[in-house]
mmCIF file of all heavy atoms in Angstrom:
data_model
loop_
_atom_site.group_PDB
_atom_site.id
_atom_site.type_symbol
_atom_site.label_atom_id
_atom_site.label_comp_id
_atom_site.label_asym_id
_atom_site.label_seq_id
_atom_site.Cartn_x
_atom_site.Cartn_y
_atom_site.Cartn_z
ATOM 1 N N GLY A 1 0.768 -1.227 0.000
ATOM 2 C CA GLY A 1 0.000 0.000 0.000
ATOM 3 C C GLY A 1 0.803 1.282 0.000
ATOM 4 O O GLY A 1 0.228 2.369 0.108
ATOM 5 N N PHE A 2 2.130 1.200 -0.122
ATOM 6 C CA PHE A 2 2.928 2.411 -0.241
ATOM 7 C C PHE A 2 2.854 2.913 -1.680
ATOM 8 O O PHE A 2 3.040 2.148 -2.617
ATOM 9 C CB PHE A 2 4.373 2.153 0.166
ATOM 10 C CG PHE A 2 4.530 1.815 1.613
ATOM 11 C CD1 PHE A 2 4.641 0.495 2.020
ATOM 12 C CD2 PHE A 2 4.558 2.812 2.575
ATOM 13 C CE1 PHE A 2 4.769 0.176 3.360
ATOM 14 C CE2 PHE A 2 4.690 2.501 3.921
ATOM 15 C CZ PHE A 2 4.789 1.172 4.312
ATOM 16 N N SER A 3 2.605 4.188 -1.829
ATOM 17 C CA SER A 3 2.372 4.747 -3.161
ATOM 18 C C SER A 3 3.287 5.925 -3.439
ATOM 19 O O SER A 3 3.698 6.631 -2.516
ATOM 20 C CB SER A 3 0.918 5.208 -3.286
ATOM 21 O OG SER A 3 0.019 4.147 -3.031
ATOM 22 N N ASN A 4 3.596 6.114 -4.711
ATOM 23 C CA ASN A 4 4.280 7.329 -5.130
ATOM 24 C C ASN A 4 3.614 7.865 -6.382
ATOM 25 O O ASN A 4 3.018 7.103 -7.156
ATOM 26 C CB ASN A 4 5.777 7.096 -5.347
ATOM 27 C CG ASN A 4 6.079 6.133 -6.464
ATOM 28 O OD1 ASN A 4 5.751 4.969 -6.397
ATOM 29 N ND2 ASN A 4 6.713 6.647 -7.514
ATOM 30 N N TYR A 5 3.726 9.169 -6.544
ATOM 31 C CA TYR A 5 3.029 9.861 -7.618
ATOM 32 C C TYR A 5 3.983 10.762 -8.389
ATOM 33 O O TYR A 5 4.944 11.288 -7.841
ATOM 34 C CB TYR A 5 1.919 10.748 -7.045
ATOM 35 C CG TYR A 5 0.804 10.015 -6.360
ATOM 36 C CD1 TYR A 5 0.894 9.669 -5.017
ATOM 37 C CD2 TYR A 5 -0.355 9.669 -7.056
ATOM 38 C CE1 TYR A 5 -0.137 8.995 -4.384
ATOM 39 C CE2 TYR A 5 -1.392 9.009 -6.432
ATOM 40 C CZ TYR A 5 -1.275 8.673 -5.093
ATOM 41 O OH TYR A 5 -2.314 8.015 -4.476
ATOM 42 N N ALA A 6 3.671 10.977 -9.642
ATOM 43 C CA ALA A 6 4.355 12.019 -10.394
ATOM 44 C C ALA A 6 3.977 13.359 -9.786
ATOM 45 O O ALA A 6 2.841 13.545 -9.327
ATOM 46 C CB ALA A 6 3.947 11.973 -11.862
ATOM 47 N N SER A 7 4.909 14.283 -9.771
ATOM 48 C CA SER A 7 4.634 15.581 -9.156
ATOM 49 C C SER A 7 3.478 16.301 -9.852
ATOM 50 O O SER A 7 2.737 17.059 -9.225
ATOM 51 C CB SER A 7 5.892 16.452 -9.192
ATOM 52 O OG SER A 7 6.355 16.605 -10.514
ATOM 53 N N SER A 8 3.312 16.034 -11.136
ATOM 54 C CA SER A 8 2.271 16.713 -11.910
ATOM 55 C C SER A 8 0.855 16.291 -11.520
ATOM 56 O O SER A 8 -0.108 16.991 -11.837
ATOM 57 C CB SER A 8 2.483 16.472 -13.403
ATOM 58 O OG SER A 8 2.445 15.084 -13.694
ATOM 59 N N VAL A 9 0.723 15.142 -10.849
ATOM 60 C CA VAL A 9 -0.614 14.658 -10.484
ATOM 61 C C VAL A 9 -0.821 14.608 -8.983
ATOM 62 O O VAL A 9 -1.949 14.342 -8.524
ATOM 63 C CB VAL A 9 -0.891 13.265 -11.091
ATOM 64 C CG1 VAL A 9 -0.642 13.270 -12.594
ATOM 65 C CG2 VAL A 9 -0.067 12.181 -10.407
ATOM 66 N N LYS A 10 0.214 14.850 -8.215
ATOM 67 C CA LYS A 10 0.108 14.760 -6.754
ATOM 68 C C LYS A 10 -0.943 15.750 -6.261
ATOM 69 O O LYS A 10 -0.960 16.916 -6.659
ATOM 70 C CB LYS A 10 1.468 15.039 -6.129
ATOM 71 C CG LYS A 10 1.612 14.543 -4.708
ATOM 72 C CD LYS A 10 3.054 14.664 -4.236
ATOM 73 C CE LYS A 10 3.983 13.724 -4.960
ATOM 74 N NZ LYS A 10 5.367 13.757 -4.424
ATOM 75 N N GLY A 11 -1.829 15.251 -5.405
ATOM 76 C CA GLY A 11 -2.900 16.085 -4.883
ATOM 77 C C GLY A 11 -4.165 16.055 -5.725
ATOM 78 O O GLY A 11 -5.223 16.513 -5.277
ATOM 79 N N ARG A 12 -4.061 15.521 -6.932
ATOM 80 C CA ARG A 12 -5.239 15.430 -7.809
ATOM 81 C C ARG A 12 -5.642 13.986 -8.074
ATOM 82 O O ARG A 12 -6.836 13.689 -8.214
ATOM 83 C CB ARG A 12 -4.955 16.118 -9.148
ATOM 84 C CG ARG A 12 -4.636 17.592 -9.043
ATOM 85 C CD ARG A 12 -4.562 18.247 -10.431
ATOM 86 N NE ARG A 12 -3.502 17.699 -11.254
ATOM 87 C CZ ARG A 12 -3.694 17.156 -12.447
ATOM 88 N NH1 ARG A 12 -4.901 17.070 -12.971
ATOM 89 N NH2 ARG A 12 -2.661 16.689 -13.157
ATOM 90 N N PHE A 13 -4.665 13.101 -8.164
ATOM 91 C CA PHE A 13 -4.929 11.687 -8.469
ATOM 92 C C PHE A 13 -4.704 10.845 -7.218
ATOM 93 O O PHE A 13 -3.838 11.144 -6.400
ATOM 94 C CB PHE A 13 -3.988 11.191 -9.566
ATOM 95 C CG PHE A 13 -4.237 11.765 -10.934
ATOM 96 C CD1 PHE A 13 -5.091 12.836 -11.150
ATOM 97 C CD2 PHE A 13 -3.585 11.222 -12.033
ATOM 98 C CE1 PHE A 13 -5.298 13.357 -12.409
ATOM 99 C CE2 PHE A 13 -3.776 11.730 -13.307
ATOM 100 C CZ PHE A 13 -4.645 12.808 -13.497
ATOM 101 N N ILE A 14 -5.484 9.784 -7.114
ATOM 102 C CA ILE A 14 -5.323 8.846 -6.006
ATOM 103 C C ILE A 14 -5.286 7.427 -6.569
ATOM 104 O O ILE A 14 -6.206 7.013 -7.280
ATOM 105 C CB ILE A 14 -6.481 8.965 -4.997
ATOM 106 C CG1 ILE A 14 -6.531 10.378 -4.422
ATOM 107 C CG2 ILE A 14 -6.309 7.935 -3.876
ATOM 108 C CD1 ILE A 14 -7.759 10.637 -3.556
ATOM 109 N N ILE A 15 -4.237 6.692 -6.217
ATOM 110 C CA ILE A 15 -4.140 5.291 -6.613
ATOM 111 C C ILE A 15 -4.564 4.429 -5.434
ATOM 112 O O ILE A 15 -4.248 4.727 -4.281
ATOM 113 C CB ILE A 15 -2.713 4.935 -7.091
ATOM 114 C CG1 ILE A 15 -2.685 3.547 -7.724
ATOM 115 C CG2 ILE A 15 -1.694 5.058 -5.959
ATOM 116 C CD1 ILE A 15 -1.372 3.241 -8.441
ATOM 117 N N SER A 16 -5.308 3.374 -5.738
ATOM 118 C CA SER A 16 -5.707 2.433 -4.698
ATOM 119 C C SER A 16 -5.691 1.029 -5.283
ATOM 120 O O SER A 16 -5.628 0.856 -6.505
ATOM 121 C CB SER A 16 -7.090 2.783 -4.141
ATOM 122 O OG SER A 16 -8.070 2.726 -5.161
ATOM 123 N N ARG A 17 -5.773 0.071 -4.389
ATOM 124 C CA ARG A 17 -5.566 -1.302 -4.845
ATOM 125 C C ARG A 17 -6.386 -2.259 -3.984
ATOM 126 O O ARG A 17 -6.495 -2.070 -2.769
ATOM 127 C CB ARG A 17 -4.081 -1.613 -4.740
ATOM 128 C CG ARG A 17 -3.665 -3.005 -5.080
ATOM 129 C CD ARG A 17 -2.150 -3.064 -5.069
ATOM 130 N NE ARG A 17 -1.686 -4.413 -5.302
ATOM 131 C CZ ARG A 17 -0.431 -4.751 -5.525
ATOM 132 N NH1 ARG A 17 0.504 -3.801 -5.546
ATOM 133 N NH2 ARG A 17 -0.070 -5.988 -5.729
ATOM 134 N N ASP A 18 -6.935 -3.263 -4.614
ATOM 135 C CA ASP A 18 -7.639 -4.340 -3.921
ATOM 136 C C ASP A 18 -6.882 -5.623 -4.232
ATOM 137 O O ASP A 18 -7.027 -6.194 -5.313
ATOM 138 C CB ASP A 18 -9.090 -4.408 -4.412
ATOM 139 C CG ASP A 18 -9.929 -5.423 -3.649
ATOM 140 O OD1 ASP A 18 -9.339 -6.398 -3.120
ATOM 141 O OD2 ASP A 18 -11.147 -5.244 -3.581
ATOM 142 N N ASN A 19 -6.066 -6.057 -3.298
ATOM 143 C CA ASN A 19 -5.235 -7.244 -3.530
ATOM 144 C C ASN A 19 -6.077 -8.503 -3.732
ATOM 145 O O ASN A 19 -5.704 -9.392 -4.494
ATOM 146 C CB ASN A 19 -4.260 -7.445 -2.385
ATOM 147 C CG ASN A 19 -3.155 -6.405 -2.374
ATOM 148 O OD1 ASN A 19 -2.753 -5.890 -3.421
ATOM 149 N ND2 ASN A 19 -2.665 -6.070 -1.199
ATOM 150 N N ALA A 20 -7.192 -8.573 -3.032
ATOM 151 C CA ALA A 20 -8.046 -9.758 -3.167
ATOM 152 C C ALA A 20 -8.613 -9.878 -4.581
ATOM 153 O O ALA A 20 -8.835 -10.983 -5.076
ATOM 154 C CB ALA A 20 -9.178 -9.698 -2.147
ATOM 155 N N LYS A 21 -8.844 -8.749 -5.219
ATOM 156 C CA LYS A 21 -9.382 -8.743 -6.579
ATOM 157 C C LYS A 21 -8.300 -8.539 -7.631
ATOM 158 O O LYS A 21 -8.605 -8.480 -8.823
ATOM 159 C CB LYS A 21 -10.437 -7.650 -6.719
ATOM 160 C CG LYS A 21 -11.672 -7.851 -5.852
ATOM 161 C CD LYS A 21 -12.679 -6.733 -6.082
ATOM 162 C CE LYS A 21 -13.932 -6.941 -5.239
ATOM 163 N NZ LYS A 21 -14.923 -5.846 -5.442
ATOM 164 N N ASN A 22 -7.047 -8.385 -7.184
ATOM 165 C CA ASN A 22 -5.954 -8.112 -8.120
ATOM 166 C C ASN A 22 -6.299 -6.946 -9.049
ATOM 167 O O ASN A 22 -6.100 -7.012 -10.270
ATOM 168 C CB ASN A 22 -5.607 -9.356 -8.942
ATOM 169 C CG ASN A 22 -4.985 -10.440 -8.095
ATOM 170 O OD1 ASN A 22 -3.986 -10.221 -7.426
ATOM 171 N ND2 ASN A 22 -5.601 -11.621 -8.083
ATOM 172 N N THR A 23 -6.815 -5.905 -8.459
ATOM 173 C CA THR A 23 -7.279 -4.746 -9.215
ATOM 174 C C THR A 23 -6.658 -3.480 -8.650
ATOM 175 O O THR A 23 -6.550 -3.333 -7.429
ATOM 176 C CB THR A 23 -8.805 -4.660 -9.181
ATOM 177 O OG1 THR A 23 -9.368 -5.846 -9.753
ATOM 178 C CG2 THR A 23 -9.304 -3.458 -9.966
ATOM 179 N N VAL A 24 -6.266 -2.602 -9.547
ATOM 180 C CA VAL A 24 -5.738 -1.308 -9.154
ATOM 181 C C VAL A 24 -6.611 -0.229 -9.786
ATOM 182 O O VAL A 24 -7.123 -0.404 -10.896
ATOM 183 C CB VAL A 24 -4.255 -1.152 -9.558
ATOM 184 C CG1 VAL A 24 -4.073 -1.178 -11.068
ATOM 185 C CG2 VAL A 24 -3.649 0.102 -8.956
ATOM 186 N N TYR A 25 -6.797 0.853 -9.060
ATOM 187 C CA TYR A 25 -7.658 1.935 -9.497
ATOM 188 C C TYR A 25 -6.866 3.246 -9.545
ATOM 189 O O TYR A 25 -5.881 3.413 -8.824
ATOM 190 C CB TYR A 25 -8.834 2.108 -8.532
ATOM 191 C CG TYR A 25 -9.628 0.853 -8.293
ATOM 192 C CD1 TYR A 25 -9.325 0.030 -7.207
ATOM 193 C CD2 TYR A 25 -10.661 0.480 -9.137
ATOM 194 C CE1 TYR A 25 -10.047 -1.131 -6.975
ATOM 195 C CE2 TYR A 25 -11.388 -0.682 -8.913
ATOM 196 C CZ TYR A 25 -11.078 -1.490 -7.834
ATOM 197 O OH TYR A 25 -11.799 -2.644 -7.616
ATOM 198 N N LEU A 26 -7.351 4.147 -10.360
ATOM 199 C CA LEU A 26 -6.778 5.491 -10.385
ATOM 200 C C LEU A 26 -7.925 6.481 -10.424
ATOM 201 O O LEU A 26 -8.645 6.567 -11.426
ATOM 202 C CB LEU A 26 -5.861 5.689 -11.593
ATOM 203 C CG LEU A 26 -5.106 7.019 -11.619
ATOM 204 C CD1 LEU A 26 -4.063 7.076 -10.488
ATOM 205 C CD2 LEU A 26 -4.423 7.243 -12.967
ATOM 206 N N GLU A 27 -8.096 7.196 -9.323
ATOM 207 C CA GLU A 27 -9.105 8.245 -9.253
ATOM 208 C C GLU A 27 -8.433 9.534 -9.709
ATOM 209 O O GLU A 27 -7.445 9.975 -9.116
ATOM 210 C CB GLU A 27 -9.603 8.387 -7.821
ATOM 211 C CG GLU A 27 -10.732 9.379 -7.647
ATOM 212 C CD GLU A 27 -12.076 8.845 -8.130
ATOM 213 O OE1 GLU A 27 -12.284 7.611 -8.073
ATOM 214 O OE2 GLU A 27 -12.887 9.657 -8.584
ATOM 215 N N MET A 28 -8.967 10.130 -10.768
ATOM 216 C CA MET A 28 -8.360 11.334 -11.335
ATOM 217 C C MET A 28 -9.333 12.498 -11.182
ATOM 218 O O MET A 28 -10.460 12.436 -11.706
ATOM 219 C CB MET A 28 -8.032 11.111 -12.819
ATOM 220 C CG MET A 28 -7.137 9.903 -13.063
ATOM 221 S SD MET A 28 -6.627 9.739 -14.782
ATOM 222 C CE MET A 28 -8.211 9.364 -15.551
ATOM 223 N N ASN A 29 -8.905 13.498 -10.471
ATOM 224 C CA ASN A 29 -9.728 14.670 -10.203
ATOM 225 C C ASN A 29 -9.064 15.926 -10.751
ATOM 226 O O ASN A 29 -7.866 15.936 -11.030
ATOM 227 C CB ASN A 29 -9.954 14.817 -8.699
ATOM 228 C CG ASN A 29 -10.610 13.603 -8.086
ATOM 229 O OD1 ASN A 29 -11.672 13.181 -8.515
ATOM 230 N ND2 ASN A 29 -9.967 13.031 -7.072
ATOM 231 N N SER A 30 -9.863 16.979 -10.882
ATOM 232 C CA SER A 30 -9.348 18.263 -11.374
ATOM 233 C C SER A 30 -8.522 18.070 -12.635
ATOM 234 O O SER A 30 -7.396 18.580 -12.750
ATOM 235 C CB SER A 30 -8.513 18.945 -10.286
ATOM 236 O OG SER A 30 -9.275 19.148 -9.122
ATOM 237 N N LEU A 31 -9.073 17.336 -13.562
ATOM 238 C CA LEU A 31 -8.329 16.994 -14.766
ATOM 239 C C LEU A 31 -8.016 18.217 -15.605
ATOM 240 O O LEU A 31 -8.807 19.164 -15.684
ATOM 241 C CB LEU A 31 -9.103 15.964 -15.585
ATOM 242 C CG LEU A 31 -9.025 14.536 -15.033
ATOM 243 C CD1 LEU A 31 -10.154 13.681 -15.552
ATOM 244 C CD2 LEU A 31 -7.683 13.911 -15.377
ATOM 245 N N LYS A 32 -6.836 18.175 -16.217
ATOM 246 C CA LYS A 32 -6.355 19.254 -17.061
ATOM 247 C C LYS A 32 -6.123 18.726 -18.474
ATOM 248 O O LYS A 32 -5.951 17.515 -18.666
ATOM 249 C CB LYS A 32 -5.044 19.806 -16.499
ATOM 250 C CG LYS A 32 -5.093 20.232 -15.049
ATOM 251 C CD LYS A 32 -3.708 20.640 -14.559
ATOM 252 C CE LYS A 32 -3.728 21.042 -13.100
ATOM 253 N NZ LYS A 32 -2.385 21.429 -12.603
ATOM 254 N N SER A 33 -6.049 19.636 -19.414
ATOM 255 C CA SER A 33 -5.836 19.206 -20.795
ATOM 256 C C SER A 33 -4.519 18.446 -20.936
ATOM 257 O O SER A 33 -4.420 17.514 -21.742
ATOM 258 C CB SER A 33 -5.847 20.417 -21.737
ATOM 259 O OG SER A 33 -4.880 21.371 -21.342
ATOM 260 N N GLU A 34 -3.541 18.805 -20.122
ATOM 261 C CA GLU A 34 -2.249 18.120 -20.208
ATOM 262 C C GLU A 34 -2.277 16.705 -19.636
ATOM 263 O O GLU A 34 -1.284 15.988 -19.720
ATOM 264 C CB GLU A 34 -1.145 18.937 -19.516
ATOM 265 C CG GLU A 34 -1.464 19.387 -18.116
ATOM 266 C CD GLU A 34 -1.980 20.819 -18.076
ATOM 267 O OE1 GLU A 34 -2.831 21.166 -18.929
ATOM 268 O OE2 GLU A 34 -1.551 21.565 -17.182
ATOM 269 N N ASP A 35 -3.394 16.298 -19.059
ATOM 270 C CA ASP A 35 -3.546 14.910 -18.617
ATOM 271 C C ASP A 35 -3.993 13.997 -19.768
ATOM 272 O O ASP A 35 -4.063 12.779 -19.598
ATOM 273 C CB ASP A 35 -4.574 14.812 -17.489
ATOM 274 C CG ASP A 35 -4.129 15.523 -16.226
ATOM 275 O OD1 ASP A 35 -2.938 15.383 -15.854
ATOM 276 O OD2 ASP A 35 -4.956 16.221 -15.613
ATOM 277 N N THR A 36 -4.297 14.589 -20.909
ATOM 278 C CA THR A 36 -4.704 13.794 -22.071
ATOM 279 C C THR A 36 -3.581 12.858 -22.487
ATOM 280 O O THR A 36 -2.450 13.291 -22.713
ATOM 281 C CB THR A 36 -5.078 14.721 -23.241
ATOM 282 O OG1 THR A 36 -6.239 15.468 -22.889
ATOM 283 C CG2 THR A 36 -5.354 13.912 -24.497
ATOM 284 N N ALA A 37 -3.897 11.576 -22.561
ATOM 285 C CA ALA A 37 -2.890 10.567 -22.887
ATOM 286 C C ALA A 37 -3.557 9.196 -22.941
ATOM 287 O O ALA A 37 -4.719 9.044 -22.553
ATOM 288 C CB ALA A 37 -1.775 10.552 -21.844
ATOM 289 N N VAL A 38 -2.789 8.236 -23.388
ATOM 290 C CA VAL A 38 -3.187 6.834 -23.219
ATOM 291 C C VAL A 38 -2.608 6.384 -21.886
ATOM 292 O O VAL A 38 -1.411 6.551 -21.639
ATOM 293 C CB VAL A 38 -2.672 5.947 -24.361
ATOM 294 C CG1 VAL A 38 -3.056 4.493 -24.112
ATOM 295 C CG2 VAL A 38 -3.227 6.429 -25.697
ATOM 296 N N TYR A 39 -3.458 5.826 -21.056
ATOM 297 C CA TYR A 39 -3.048 5.397 -19.728
ATOM 298 C C TYR A 39 -2.888 3.868 -19.730
ATOM 299 O O TYR A 39 -3.792 3.140 -20.142
ATOM 300 C CB TYR A 39 -4.080 5.821 -18.691
ATOM 301 C CG TYR A 39 -3.981 7.289 -18.350
ATOM 302 C CD1 TYR A 39 -4.329 8.261 -19.283
ATOM 303 C CD2 TYR A 39 -3.511 7.707 -17.110
ATOM 304 C CE1 TYR A 39 -4.221 9.604 -18.995
ATOM 305 C CE2 TYR A 39 -3.398 9.054 -16.807
ATOM 306 C CZ TYR A 39 -3.750 10.005 -17.754
ATOM 307 O OH TYR A 39 -3.637 11.340 -17.455
ATOM 308 N N TYR A 40 -1.736 3.437 -19.250
ATOM 309 C CA TYR A 40 -1.394 2.019 -19.226
ATOM 310 C C TYR A 40 -1.267 1.525 -17.790
ATOM 311 O O TYR A 40 -0.652 2.175 -16.949
ATOM 312 C CB TYR A 40 -0.066 1.772 -19.938
ATOM 313 C CG TYR A 40 -0.074 2.090 -21.411
ATOM 314 C CD1 TYR A 40 0.292 3.347 -21.867
ATOM 315 C CD2 TYR A 40 -0.442 1.121 -22.343
ATOM 316 C CE1 TYR A 40 0.284 3.652 -23.222
ATOM 317 C CE2 TYR A 40 -0.450 1.415 -23.706
ATOM 318 C CZ TYR A 40 -0.090 2.678 -24.132
ATOM 319 O OH TYR A 40 -0.084 2.964 -25.472
ATOM 320 N N CYS A 41 -1.806 0.371 -17.570
ATOM 321 C CA CYS A 41 -1.676 -0.296 -16.282
ATOM 322 C C CYS A 41 -0.434 -1.177 -16.296
ATOM 323 O O CYS A 41 -0.081 -1.766 -17.330
ATOM 324 C CB CYS A 41 -2.920 -1.152 -16.060
ATOM 325 S SG CYS A 41 -2.890 -2.170 -14.578
ATOM 326 N N LEU A 42 0.219 -1.266 -15.158
ATOM 327 C CA LEU A 42 1.394 -2.112 -15.006
ATOM 328 C C LEU A 42 1.232 -3.011 -13.793
ATOM 329 O O LEU A 42 0.682 -2.603 -12.772
ATOM 330 C CB LEU A 42 2.640 -1.244 -14.812
ATOM 331 C CG LEU A 42 3.909 -1.981 -14.405
ATOM 332 C CD1 LEU A 42 5.126 -1.427 -15.146
ATOM 333 C CD2 LEU A 42 4.151 -1.870 -12.899
ATOM 334 N N ALA A 43 1.733 -4.223 -13.922
ATOM 335 C CA ALA A 43 1.829 -5.137 -12.780
ATOM 336 C C ALA A 43 3.196 -5.791 -12.819
ATOM 337 O O ALA A 43 3.634 -6.259 -13.872
ATOM 338 C CB ALA A 43 0.732 -6.193 -12.823
ATOM 339 N N ASN A 44 3.856 -5.786 -11.684
ATOM 340 C CA ASN A 44 5.187 -6.392 -11.588
ATOM 341 C C ASN A 44 5.102 -7.691 -10.807
ATOM 342 O O ASN A 44 4.580 -7.725 -9.681
ATOM 343 C CB ASN A 44 6.146 -5.427 -10.905
ATOM 344 C CG ASN A 44 7.548 -6.001 -10.791
ATOM 345 O OD1 ASN A 44 7.844 -6.756 -9.867
ATOM 346 N ND2 ASN A 44 8.385 -5.661 -11.746
ATOM 347 N N GLN A 45 5.635 -8.731 -11.410
ATOM 348 C CA GLN A 45 5.621 -10.045 -10.759
ATOM 349 C C GLN A 45 6.987 -10.668 -10.942
ATOM 350 O O GLN A 45 7.432 -10.856 -12.078
ATOM 351 C CB GLN A 45 4.541 -10.931 -11.369
ATOM 352 C CG GLN A 45 4.385 -12.283 -10.691
ATOM 353 C CD GLN A 45 3.433 -13.178 -11.450
ATOM 354 O OE1 GLN A 45 3.581 -13.400 -12.644
ATOM 355 N NE2 GLN A 45 2.415 -13.670 -10.755
#
């Protein structure tokens, strides 16, 4: 549950995770035009 963020999204985005469901979420608030992108999920095993 330790998280780190890019400085550009800190305070606006929140990452969370449900280990039982093997699911990760990204809550994005106060979105800006510069947030436009393709967003990719990563899992390290």
Side-chain angles (χ1 to χ4, degrees):
F2 294 98
S3 303
N4 64 295
Y5 295 86
S7 57
S8 59
V9 307
K10 199 171 292 185
R12 299 188 297 123
F13 291 11
I14 300 172
I15 190 170
S16 61
R17 176 174 176 171
D18 185 334
N19 289 330
K21 296 181 179 179
N22 292 304
T23 300
V24 64
Y25 306 94
L26 186 68
E27 184 76 30
M28 304 186 293
N29 302 305
S30 302
L31 283 160
K32 306 175 181 179
S33 56
E34 51 263 44
D35 295 317
T36 294
V38 178
Y39 283 69
Y40 296 92
C41 175
L42 170 139
N44 181 277
Q45 184 188 53

